[in-house]
Amino acid sequence: MYDDIVKDLDPLFNPKSVAHIGATNNRNKWGFSTITSLIHTYKGPIYPVNSHEVDIQGLKVFKKVTDIPGPVDMAVFTIPAERVANAMEDCVQKGVKAAVIISAGFAETGPEGQKLQDEVLAIARGGNVRFIGPNCMGYWSASSSVGAFMLPLLVRNGPLAFVSQGGNVGAAVVVAGYERGVGFRHYVSCGCAADIQIEDYIEYFGKDPNVKVILTYIEGINDGQKFIDVVSKVTPNKPVIMLKPGKFEAAAAAIKSHSGALAGSYEVYDAVCKKLGILRVDNPEEMLDVALGLLLQPLPKGPNVAIITPGGSYGVLCTDACEQEKLNVVKLPDKTIAELDKIFPPRWSRGNPVDPAGDRNFIAYLTAPERLLALDTVDALIFMGFGGFSLFGNLIAQQREV
Amino acid sequence: MYDDIVKDLDPLFNPKSVAHIGATNNRNKWGFSTITSLIHTYKGPIYPVNSHEVDIQGLKVFKKVTDIPGPVDMAVFTIPAERVANAMEDCVQKGVKAAVIISAGFAETGPEGQKLQDEVLAIARGGNVRFIGPNCMGYWSASSSVGAFMLPLLVRNGPLAFVSQGGNVGAAVVVAGYERGVGFRHYVSCGCAADIQIEDYIEYFGKDPNVKVILTYIEGINDGQKFIDVVSKVTPNKPVIMLKPGKFEAAAAAIKSHSGALAGSYEVYDAVCKKLGILRVDNPEEMLDVALGLLLQPLPKGPNVAIITPGGSYGVLCTDACEQEKLNVVKLPDKTIAELDKIFPPRWSRGNPVDPAGDRNFIAYLTAPERLLALDTVDALIFMGFGGFSLFGNLIAQQREV
């Protein structure tokens, strides 16, 4: 049991039918927005479950999951916490294989909520129901186009996969990606992660050939050793990015009341990330930038960098940023300087960064890169300042693959 | 001489007529884009100066500045460096009061360029011509709507003023401001700053009542003591923001070849900024964010912060960021928790950050701030996560003015 993550999670990411326990016509409830998300994304059978409704957006409503005539692969929960256990029992009886429990009021609220959560977990485990949450915003997956999400989520299909212990930060990153044209194969708001753990999602994403880069927002991990065991098999083949708050005490307290997780020692996370090759980022914007860089660029062979820019100040800021990141802005050999002397005006910087100081010969700008990339001493080229003022992310053009 | 900065620089920022030495119909030259910028911004008389042209975009062309019939307040230079000294002599003869020397090939190129620059400076000083540059991109000012700028610069009129030792970074910030609806009273690319120094611009901006926040991108300062003397009079009344690269050696070398400035010790700059109350930022994006924050928000009375957010993960990240910045995420008194208990569902965080955990009662979200701001222990409120994922800048709502 629980040893084949693909078999376990496929009913979640590729459900053949979906029940929504707590779907409603009441626009003031999350069950309204979630059923709306489902209807607008999922093309298979959807069964709303609600004891008071008859018809929801044209779909026939069932009083209980067990009343649904056909098989149900996956169930969405938006009912109050105290009713989740009973409904989970119905799911077990019905043979539901996977669920997403959006309902809050579990481990994040304290001991009583933790007890409720343990009860739900025991029922699900007993019936082989794997579930996301509780206390989450839902998930979106392109593999079967299923969006069981509280908010109206604009998301593109694409090569990223993201498990986030924060629904709002996760949604903001996904929507920011949408605005930039970046797509997600899967996005999971994992909440308290009572059953399916963060490392389980990472393992599943690692095995999905459509996923190229894995993003994580992690407040706390339940089983550190299992995390290390699982993730160490993923990172050699697929980049994993981690945003982990909780450096300071007050944030650790906020984490406890948000996802019910223990923040853990920041230093331990640092060490683990270093060992596993997980890329740490400091904020959501940087997470998306790094993901984009990994998607769009080959990894450079080493830390030696050449910079070419039409703006001296870009070159200065970029040099500072490179050194901050321990990249080496290499000295150009005399031969290369002599070559560039032929194509740039005499006022050019005659060094790295290569700054032709306002030269209007754009052919020169376009021929200089190949001369720099031909050097054995240059692992990567930053060709920047031809648009916005971002230093990295979309402006790094790199040459040599590892 | 040079003791009344307003009188000195007014002919620059409020010219009654403008000559453009090196204006051209040749679209491959900067003199074309600069005269185009001028024509599209400035409503007073414009006199193109070029020995080979007769008509430029409908304007009569003069062979020399001295041939212009009317008085000339300000002159723009886009001719090659070696011809600037002669043209400056013409300007002195004509009684020109201010100039912007866009031409490059001066101190930034080495000893010979430095000599040329000293020569131009001596001529200008002899004739009381104050000038921007050399080796700059020009400037834009809303006070008389004058844009003598190399690039097509989208800029809004507004309460910021910006002196930048990098034309490209400066332009990028101004254009990013345009995109966000933020305006600039003045923007100067100061280049090598041979005559008018960075502190002169800061002093002038400090005396312009239309300027609310002063932005600076500084690679190096020529006269540290004068800078301290001047800026110390400005910062008590008007915020000054500084972006200063050159933390690392390679960046310092890039600075030398870019603006001809000496980077100086980063630690010294740190100390000076602290003493003068200059706000340091790490990158252009942050400069604009901080400027926006200063424009849109009163300064808080102290470091004690309350956070309210519909997203627990926003609260966690924000708490981490607050502590990083040495802001204190205060403990809420029991009385306030009891008050919030009445408006939020039982699952709310019952602490600071105030996280109602997905409550859909938006009235509650809107009444909670006043309860938090009523506390003596709260100096500022961060009301966040109701839009994007930015932690600061446009999301900080602060209460008490200093």
Side-chain angles (χ1 to χ4, degrees):
Chain A
M1 183 183 168
Y2 300 155
D3 55 356
D4 184 346
I5 199 73
V6 176
K7 198 174 153 218
D8 268 15
L9 301 197
D10 259 348
L12 189 65
F13 292 115
N14 294 296
K16 293 192 178 58
S17 58
V18 173
H20 185 324
I21 301 161
T24 173
N25 286 312
N26 182 342
R27 285 171 182 257
N28 292 323
K29 295 190 168 181
W30 292 117
F32 172 79
S33 39
T34 307
I35 188 73
T36 307
S37 292
L38 258 182
I39 290 170
H40 282 267
T41 55
Y42 184 63
K43 302 305 164 208
I46 301 173
Y47 306 109
V49 176
N50 185 316
S51 55
H52 310 297
E53 305 267 9
V54 173
D55 174 287
I56 293 177
Q57 300 186 44
L59 296 172
K60 184 185 171 188
V61 181
F62 298 87
K63 294 215 180 301
K64 300 182 75 174
V65 168
T66 43
D67 295 341
I68 298 168
V72 174
D73 260 15
M74 196 272 285
V76 184
F77 289 69
T78 57
I79 51 177
E82 60 274 15
R83 286 167 45 203
V84 170
N86 276 347
M88 184 60 84
E89 277 171 355
D90 291 346
C91 286
V92 169
Q93 198 183 325
K94 179 68 187 169
V96 169
K97 294 169 195 146
V100 47
I101 305 176
I102 291 177
S103 319
F106 291 93
E108 82 281 7
T109 58
E112 279 184 48
Q114 179 71 55
K115 207 179 138 199
L116 213 52
Q117 181 170 310
D118 292 344
E119 191 188 339
V120 171
L121 179 62
I123 296 165
R125 286 267 157 100
N128 290 328
V129 183
R130 303 298 314 252
F131 67 88
I132 297 176
N135 181 33
C136 73
M137 290 179 78
Y139 77 107
W140 186 90
S141 176
S143 51
S144 287
S145 181
V146 52
F149 208 78
M150 269 165 68
L151 297 177
L153 192 65
L154 285 169
V155 49
R156 293 177 194 270
N157 184 1
L160 304 182
F162 185 10
V163 52
S164 176
Q165 212 158 3
N168 286 284
V169 161
V173 169
V174 169
V175 172
Y178 180 90
E179 288 166 350
R180 298 199 206 170
V182 187
F184 290 78
R185 177 76 175 170
H186 313 288
Y187 164 53
V188 175
S189 158
C190 69
C192 292
D195 173 41
I196 311 175
Q197 304 296 304
I198 291 170
E199 57 267 24
D200 295 329
Y201 298 110
I202 297 175
E203 188 182 0
Y204 183 85
F205 298 160
K207 289 182 175 171
D208 182 340
N210 295 292
V211 172
K212 304 300 177 204
V213 179
I214 298 169
L215 285 67
T216 66
Y217 167 76
I218 294 176
E219 298 191 347
I221 282 164
N222 292 326
D223 183 344
Q225 191 53 53
K226 192 183 166 204
F227 181 86
I228 291 171
D229 291 346
V230 168
V231 178
S232 63
K233 292 187 191 110
V234 175
T235 48
N237 306 307
K238 209 172 276 190
V240 176
I241 303 171
M242 189 198 284
L243 172 61
K244 168 78 180 77
K247 195 166 183 176
F248 300 97
E249 207 180 319
I255 283 174
K256 184 70 193 155
S257 89
H258 172 234
S259 61
L262 292 170
S265 154
Y266 203 75
E267 289 68 32
V268 168
Y269 277 93
D270 266 342
V272 166
C273 285
K274 204 158 191 177
K275 186 184 162 189
L276 297 183
I278 293 175
L279 297 159
R280 286 295 284 277
V281 291
D282 284 331
N283 56 59
E285 293 88 338
E286 193 185 354
M287 181 153 61
L288 204 51
D289 283 344
V290 170
L292 267 171
L294 290 165
L295 279 182
L296 299 173
Q297 301 290 343
L299 291 173
K301 207 174 63 179
N304 299 312
V305 169
I307 300 166
I308 177 165
T309 173
S313 45
Y314 289 129
V316 167
L317 289 169
C318 186
T319 301
D320 236 23
C322 283
E323 304 234 342
Q324 183 88 49
E325 301 295 330
K326 304 205 186 341
L327 297 173
N328 178 30
V329 181
V330 298
K331 192 175 178 322
L332 298 183
D334 292 344
K335 190 171 163 290
T336 305
I337 291 186
E339 275 176 25
L340 296 176
D341 270 343
K342 287 182 203 151
I343 62 169
F344 287 130
R347 66 177 180 271
W348 85 278
S349 64
R350 295 182 54 84
N352 185 17
V354 174
D355 169 18
D359 186 26
R360 291 195 67 143
N361 178 358
F362 293 119
I363 303 297
Y365 280 110
L366 294 173
T367 55
E370 63 192 76
R371 291 162 206 256
L372 296 168
L373 288 171
L375 295 170
D376 284 342
T377 49
V378 170
D379 297 319
L381 173 72
I382 301 178
F383 186 76
M384 71 173 300
F386 296 84
F389 55 62
S390 289
L391 289 174
F392 292 106
N394 56 346
L395 286 164
I396 299 181
Q398 291 162 327
Q399 177 198 33
R400 297 194 182 86
E401 301 204 30
V402 178
Chain B
M1 183 183 166
Y2 300 154
D3 56 356
D4 184 345
I5 199 73
V6 176
K7 200 174 150 216
D8 269 15
L9 301 197
D10 259 348
L12 188 65
F13 293 113
N14 294 297
K16 294 192 179 58
S17 58
V18 172
H20 184 325
I21 302 161
T24 173
N25 287 313
N26 181 344
R27 285 171 181 255
N28 292 323
K29 294 191 169 182
W30 292 117
F32 172 79
S33 38
T34 307
I35 189 73
T36 307
S37 291
L38 258 181
I39 289 170
H40 282 267
T41 54
Y42 184 63
K43 302 304 165 210
I46 301 172
Y47 307 109
V49 177
N50 184 317
S51 55
H52 310 296
E53 306 266 9
V54 174
D55 175 286
I56 293 176
Q57 300 186 45
L59 296 173
K60 185 186 169 186
V61 180
F62 298 87
K63 294 216 180 302
K64 300 181 75 173
V65 167
T66 44
D67 295 341
I68 298 167
V72 174
D73 261 16
M74 195 273 283
V76 184
F77 289 69
T78 57
I79 52 176
E82 59 275 15
R83 287 167 44 204
V84 170
N86 275 347
M88 185 59 85
E89 277 171 356
D90 291 348
C91 286
V92 169
Q93 197 182 325
K94 179 67 187 169
V96 169
K97 292 168 197 150
V100 47
I101 305 177
I102 290 177
S103 319
F106 290 93
E108 82 281 7
T109 58
E112 277 184 49
Q114 180 71 54
K115 207 179 137 197
L116 212 53
Q117 181 170 311
D118 292 344
E119 191 187 339
V120 171
L121 179 63
I123 296 165
R125 287 267 157 98
N128 290 329
V129 184
R130 302 297 316 251
F131 68 88
I132 297 177
N135 180 33
C136 73
M137 290 179 78
Y139 76 108
W140 185 90
S141 177
S143 52
S144 287
S145 182
V146 52
F149 208 78
M150 269 165 67
L151 297 177
L153 193 66
L154 285 169
V155 51
R156 293 177 194 270
N157 184 1
L160 304 181
F162 185 9
V163 52
S164 176
Q165 213 159 1
N168 287 285
V169 161
V173 169
V174 169
V175 173
Y178 181 89
E179 289 167 348
R180 298 199 206 172
V182 187
F184 290 79
R185 177 76 175 169
H186 313 288
Y187 164 53
V188 175
S189 159
C190 69
C192 292
D195 174 40
I196 310 174
Q197 304 295 304
I198 290 169
E199 57 268 24
D200 295 328
Y201 297 109
I202 296 175
E203 187 182 2
Y204 183 84
F205 298 160
K207 289 182 175 171
D208 182 341
N210 296 292
V211 171
K212 303 300 177 205
V213 180
I214 298 169
L215 285 67
T216 66
Y217 166 76
I218 294 177
E219 298 191 348
I221 281 163
N222 292 325
D223 184 343
Q225 191 52 56
K226 192 182 167 204
F227 181 85
I228 291 171
D229 293 345
V230 169
V231 178
S232 63
K233 292 187 191 110
V234 176
T235 49
N237 307 306
K238 209 170 276 190
V240 175
I241 304 171
M242 188 197 286
L243 171 61
K244 167 78 180 77
K247 195 166 183 176
F248 300 97
E249 206 180 319
I255 284 172
K256 185 69 193 156
S257 88
H258 173 233
S259 61
L262 292 171
S265 154
Y266 203 74
E267 289 68 33
V268 168
Y269 276 93
D270 265 342
V272 166
C273 285
K274 204 158 191 175
K275 187 184 162 188
L276 296 183
I278 293 175
L279 297 159
R280 287 294 285 277
V281 290
D282 284 331
N283 55 59
E285 293 89 338
E286 192 184 355
M287 180 153 61
L288 204 51
D289 282 345
V290 170
L292 268 171
L294 290 165
L295 278 181
L296 299 174
Q297 302 290 343
L299 291 173
K301 209 174 60 179
N304 299 313
V305 169
I307 300 166
I308 177 165
T309 173
S313 45
Y314 288 130
V316 168
L317 288 169
C318 186
T319 301
D320 235 23
C322 283
E323 304 235 342
Q324 183 89 49
E325 301 296 330
K326 304 207 185 340
L327 297 172
N328 179 29
V329 181
V330 299
K331 192 176 180 319
L332 297 183
D334 292 344
K335 190 172 162 288
T336 305
I337 291 187
E339 276 176 25
L340 296 176
D341 271 342
K342 286 181 203 150
I343 62 169
F344 287 131
R347 65 177 181 272
W348 84 279
S349 64
R350 296 181 54 85
N352 186 16
V354 174
D355 169 19
D359 186 26
R360 290 195 67 143
N361 178 357
F362 293 119
I363 304 297
Y365 280 109
L366 294 173
T367 54
E370 64 192 76
R371 291 161 206 257
L372 295 167
L373 288 170
L375 296 169
D376 284 341
T377 49
V378 170
D379 297 320
L381 173 72
I382 301 179
F383 186 77
M384 71 174 300
F386 297 84
F389 54 61
S390 290
L391 289 174
F392 292 105
N394 56 346
L395 287 164
I396 299 182
Q398 292 162 328
Q399 176 198 35
R400 297 194 181 87
E401 302 204 26
V402 178

